Amino acid sequence: MARHRWAAGLFGRYQKIRLFQHLIKDILRSLMAEAAMDYIETEEAIDEAVKEELRGHYRKRWRLYHDNIANVKATFPEFFHEFGVHTSTRSSLVSALRSVEAAFHQGAIGAKAHKALEQHLHRALGRVPEVGLADYRREPGDMIGGSPLFAGLPGEAVEEIERHCASVEFLPDDVITVEGQRSDALYVVVRGSLYQTRGMPGVDEEVLRELQPGDHFGEEVLLGDHEPVAAVRAHTACTLLRIPAKQALSLARRYPQIEARLLFR
């Protein structure tokens, strides 16, 4: 159990760092696309037909990045708020450092004041919390209560699920389960959306079903030698509850209502 919790916690930290980095990249890419569109409008040497083609290209890219940012804001509002506080605080402190440096070189402040202010601002920068390692997720117990799969279970069952499950995050296009391979866990969707698919992405992929909050997948862990018919990949950033196969089997055997909901949805 301790090993499972440690591994789940490590994976969660890794995913949070990825989420932070992807958000930074999408913001920068969005700004670059806007700058490119502004340049296209002001550059007279570019043929109008070429301009129109470039406009369409960069509008499409801007919408993609903008949608990614909006999705993170909607799916992880606590994280997005903390991200905004983090970036604005760091930006303000860096700007203050530049102002202090400029004031010193212009003779507006002396060397002693410059050094004191610089040290103070560097210490303040060091105290800004790292968003990628902050705990913005709800506790698994809070998520269990909102899942239709576990509705109406006795308190001891909910406590058992909470002991064994973990909350995990995935980014768009992350693959959670692979077609033709049995899942190693039961998953319940808490936030975001996913696709159950068949075929190769970008080649002959067919979307069979969109999974929304409250849906579950990985129930093939209860079906003996049967294999899943579909892969599952994240459509948006999402949060899932993950229950290892062994515990999912045990719960299904002890609580028939869980097994019925899993196998006859």
Side-chain angles (χ1 to χ4, degrees):
M1 175 58 67
R3 184 182 300 175
H4 164 68
R5 288 292 185 188
W6 177 84
L10 184 62
F11 180 71
R13 288 162 64 90
Y14 168 68
Q15 290 293 69
K16 284 183 242 183
I17 293 171
R18 286 186 66 213
L19 184 60
F20 179 86
Q21 292 174 340
H22 276 251
L23 186 54
I24 287 285
K25 287 179 182 178
D26 282 329
I27 291 172
L28 292 175
R29 288 166 177 167
S30 175
L31 293 172
M32 290 171 66
E34 287 182 7
M37 288 189 286
D38 289 342
Y39 173 78
I40 291 166
E41 296 305 321
T42 58
E43 184 53 55
E44 298 179 357
I46 302 177
D47 181 78
E48 187 58 35
V50 175
K51 275 190 177 184
E52 189 57 35
E53 183 178 351
L54 290 171
R55 286 188 194 106
H57 172 76
Y58 282 107
R59 282 196 201 104
K60 183 177 180 180
R61 295 177 72 88
W62 181 86
R63 280 195 295 268
L64 172 64
Y65 305 139
H66 186 267
D67 287 348
N68 288 345
I69 296 166
N71 170 249
V72 171
K73 182 178 180 180
T75 307
F76 301 112
E78 305 96 336
F79 169 84
F80 194 85
H81 171 73
E82 194 170 335
F83 173 87
V85 172
H86 171 89
T87 51
S88 61
T89 302
R90 283 194 62 86
S91 296
S92 297
L93 291 170
V94 170
S95 177
L97 272 169
R98 290 173 178 168
S99 297
V100 167
E101 190 70 21
F104 172 64
H105 287 295
Q106 293 167 6
I109 59 174
K112 187 175 180 179
H114 169 251
K115 183 176 181 180
L117 287 169
E118 190 177 50
Q119 289 176 343
H120 173 75
L121 290 169
H122 276 298
R123 283 195 298 269
L125 274 169
R127 290 194 296 266
V128 177
E130 290 294 334
V131 179
L133 300 179
D135 185 11
Y136 63 88
R137 299 182 300 173
R138 293 156 54 197
E139 289 299 316
D142 298 332
M143 302 181 194
I144 293 168
S147 170
L149 178 62
F150 305 123
L153 289 178
E156 61 268 21
V158 174
E159 290 175 4
E160 182 175 353
I161 295 168
E162 184 175 1
R163 285 197 301 271
H164 294 294
C165 75
S167 169
V168 291
E169 282 77 36
F170 293 92
L171 299 179
D173 293 324
D174 280 355
V175 175
I176 294 88
T177 63
V178 178
E179 182 179 358
Q181 294 184 14
R182 290 185 61 190
S183 174
D184 63 347
L186 173 67
Y187 293 91
V188 180
V189 183
V190 177
R191 292 187 287 196
S193 66
L194 305 95
Y195 287 148
Q196 282 188 330
T197 66
R198 182 185 289 121
M200 292 289 292
V203 181
D204 59 350
E205 184 181 54
E206 175 189 5
V207 175
L208 304 175
R209 180 183 175 217
E210 184 172 0
L211 299 163
Q212 299 285 352
D215 290 332
H216 58 268
F217 62 95
E219 58 272 11
E220 65 273 5
V221 299
L222 309 179
L223 299 177
D225 294 330
H226 291 266
E227 292 185 345
V229 296
V232 176
R233 66 173 173 83
H235 172 51
T236 68
C238 57
T239 298
L240 308 178
L241 279 179
R242 181 184 184 278
I243 306 174
K246 182 179 179 180
Q247 282 71 41
L249 276 167
S250 174
L251 287 164
R253 288 168 181 159
R254 293 171 57 193
Y255 302 101
Q257 58 267 58
I258 294 182
E259 184 175 26
R261 292 168 187 170
L262 287 171
L263 302 183
F264 304 103
R265 63 186 180 190

